[in-house]
Amino acid sequence: MPTRPSHHHAGPLAAPLPDEPATLLGNLTPTQFMRRYWQKKPLLIRQAIPDLTAPVSRDELFELADDEDVESRLITHFRKSWAMEHGPFAPDELPSVKKRDWTLLVQGVNLHDDRARALLNRFRFLPDARVDDLMISYATDGGGVGAHFDSYDVFLLQVHGKRRWRIGAQRDLTLKEGLPLKVLQHFEADEEWLLEPGDMLYLPPHIAHEGVAEGECMTCSIGFRAPSESELSSQFLYHLAERMDDGSEPGSKGAARYRDPAQPPVSHPAQLPPMLVERVGSILANVQWNEKDVSSFLGTYLSEPKSNVVFAPPRRPLDESGFIERAKQIGVKLDRKTVLLYDKRFYFMNGEQILMPTKARKWLTELADKRYLEAKRFVTLSDETSMTALLHEWYCAGWIQVDASA
Ligand code: SIN
Ligand code: CO
């Protein structure tokens, strides 16, 4: 009998391996899930996470919604009329939990809570570069955000109480006008399920859906971003422009500039000279980029922290040798807010491209993929001074932590 690969290195909160059937995916392997469902069709998974408890309690969620660094929205549907407000919300600004038909959405809970981050980590059979965030919604009986569609892939994981989901693959995605939120004009469901804690619904982009709380409930949405082509192009050109050498170092003659030694005098001074248009056209046609520019753009762009992210540096940081001593005892882990990506050439951390000696690559790759480095790694790693200096710098910035829970 062939032996199954051991799971010992992974632990219960790790992402499933590509070719192992996963409870999270209804006993499909990640490979099967990606081939049959990802970006293609919805999948309901009963008891994707058995015995699941909500990563944060209702009161903890309300506390997050009161924090100005946290993005939150309150959506009410009182007397059949939709209303939306943006947070932060002081406790007395939320409707009573006894009142029906309202919902509170808290975005990016993974940035603020390690249990939410751990839950998001279970979805790391998908590339980090595609992750948007883990949102948690709380709703009272009848609460929801109306029938709508999203442009993102989403896993809707029921974490507390019950929610009835109705979904449809309709073509007509016209929205109701004059509402503060996106609600479909005509919604026709082809399927309907009541989800209980641990149940999960995967939806690809553009599937119409409506979730209505049956009693008080909480739902986690694990969302995957897909930037639009126009956003990618404009951001890339911006990145490229930032890197263009303007030749203005001291002593240089300056950057090449438009010249027109052959310009004749004009009797229509306001007219754009055709020669100018043509010349600039050929200057622009000479703008070049290669795959290296594209990956350097993507790495910095996709690892850039969201605008509301603030890192918390340690209050009394250890010095470098103290830090390494501690890391040798308990290891280090990435802060829950940190994004660390890499490709065959570069590493990118929190929007910065990192210069690394080749020797350090193996450690950094492990840190990026696991989000931690075990204590025992530091026995060898502590001799790599450029790596330890960098790790210490990141620790001082609050990007990584010395932490036993790694
Ligand atoms: C919710 O959790 O109420 C809304 C999530 C969604 O429909 O995308
Ligand atoms: Co949605």
Side-chain angles (χ1 to χ4, degrees):
M1 280 276 283
T3 51
R4 285 161 62 83
S6 146
H7 262 142
H8 288 303
H9 63 283
L13 292 177
L17 298 169
D19 295 308
E20 293 255 318
T23 311
L24 183 71
L25 299 171
N27 286 327
L28 295 175
T29 67
T31 303
Q32 289 167 331
F33 171 79
M34 295 306 279
R35 259 200 226 129
R36 296 180 202 163
Y37 297 97
W38 178 251
Q39 297 247 296
K40 299 167 195 79
K41 57 184 183 187
L43 177 65
L44 172 74
I45 303 148
R46 293 285 181 198
Q47 292 306 292
I49 306 184
D51 307 315
L52 176 64
T53 48
V56 299
S57 67
R58 178 182 79 189
D59 290 344
E60 287 169 322
L61 193 72
F62 289 3
E63 242 171 74
L64 281 173
D66 191 11
D67 183 333
E68 60 181 32
D69 290 330
V70 178
E71 209 185 314
S72 60
R73 281 166 295 162
L74 168 68
I75 294 166
T76 58
H77 195 210
F78 302 147
R79 291 184 209 149
K80 298 227 153 71
S81 153
W82 290 109
M84 176 168 79
E85 263 182 79
H86 287 276
F89 301 102
D92 61 347
E93 289 173 319
L94 292 174
S96 157
V97 296
K98 295 192 189 96
K99 194 170 164 82
R100 42 176 296 131
D101 298 333
W102 65 273
T103 185
L104 172 73
L105 310 178
V106 180
Q107 217 69 56
V109 182
N110 54 295
L111 302 171
H112 306 285
D113 184 277
D114 277 334
R115 289 157 297 176
R117 174 72 235 192
L119 189 52
L120 181 61
N121 287 350
R122 294 178 183 234
F123 293 83
R124 291 187 81 219
F125 61 93
L126 290 154
D128 291 347
R130 289 281 269 115
V131 172
D132 189 32
D133 74 339
L134 183 144
M135 176 185 91
I136 301 185
S137 68
Y138 163 83
T140 58
D141 189 36
V145 302
H148 66 283
F149 66 93
D150 299 299
S151 310
Y152 288 11
D153 299 82
V154 66
F155 293 89
L156 298 157
L157 175 66
Q158 195 58 22
V159 296
H160 175 78
K162 295 175 191 176
R163 185 188 287 274
R164 184 169 301 278
W165 284 101
R166 299 195 302 138
I167 70 165
Q170 65 192 56
R171 289 266 193 84
D172 176 7
L173 296 177
T174 323
L175 300 175
K176 285 187 182 163
E177 271 170 46
L179 291 185
L181 64 164
K182 289 190 332 181
V183 180
L184 287 165
Q185 232 170 53
H186 311 284
F187 174 56
E188 259 183 72
D190 355 282
E191 281 179 289
E192 172 175 333
W193 304 281
L194 185 66
L195 269 69
E196 303 201 11
D199 293 347
M200 182 164 82
L201 176 60
Y202 163 72
L203 297 178
H206 300 130
I207 294 286
H209 56 284
E210 178 180 41
V212 178
E214 297 208 350
E216 183 184 65
C217 87
M218 285 208 273
T219 307
C220 285
S221 302
I222 296 100
F224 292 82
R225 65 178 159 186
S228 71
E229 292 185 7
S230 72
E231 183 186 332
L232 283 172
S233 309
S234 62
Q235 292 295 326
F236 174 67
L237 292 173
Y238 182 75
H239 173 90
L240 205 60
E242 275 194 319
R243 289 179 167 227
M244 272 184 197
D245 178 18
D246 68 0
S248 58
E249 310 92 61
S252 85
K253 285 204 314 192
R257 217 167 261 281
Y258 171 69
R259 300 174 66 243
D260 56 357
Q263 175 67 52
V266 295
S267 43
H268 296 287
Q271 190 190 29
L272 207 52
M275 195 173 70
L276 172 68
V277 177
E278 195 193 311
R279 246 321 270 146
V280 172
S282 62
I283 291 171
L284 295 180
N286 277 331
V287 176
Q288 281 175 2
W289 60 83
N290 53 30
E291 193 220 302
K292 217 161 126 179
D293 298 305
V294 176
S295 70
S296 143
F297 155 65
L298 281 174
T300 49
Y301 176 61
L302 295 174
S303 68
E304 182 71 36
K306 296 197 176 178
S307 57
N308 58 347
V309 165
V310 196
F311 287 93
R315 240 168 286 156
R316 283 186 293 135
L318 300 162
D319 65 10
E320 192 177 326
S321 64
F323 164 74
I324 293 302
E325 276 321 300
R326 195 85 188 101
K328 269 187 185 166
Q329 288 160 1
I330 60 177
V332 301
K333 69 166 190 183
L334 297 183
D335 181 80
R336 60 182 176 245
K337 294 176 171 140
T338 284
V339 182
L340 174 55
L341 304 173
Y342 65 89
D343 70 1
K344 59 180 188 274
R345 290 187 200 93
F346 308 121
Y347 290 82
F348 308 94
M349 198 176 198
N350 297 331
E352 288 179 18
Q353 188 167 309
I354 292 152
L355 293 169
M356 252 300 137
T358 335
K359 277 199 293 184
R361 289 193 70 98
K362 128 174 131 180
W363 307 116
L364 217 44
T365 303
E366 180 173 336
L367 178 62
D369 281 329
K370 287 192 174 166
R371 296 187 66 82
Y372 65 82
L373 276 178
E374 284 169 286
K376 63 175 190 223
R377 292 282 184 254
F378 283 84
V379 178
T380 348
L381 204 156
S382 54
D383 297 333
E384 308 271 358
T385 48
S386 58
M387 179 77 181
T388 55
L390 198 65
L391 286 175
H392 181 249
E393 209 179 285
W394 291 342
Y395 154 76
C396 292
W399 289 7
I400 65 171
Q401 286 160 11
V402 259
D403 193 298
S405 69

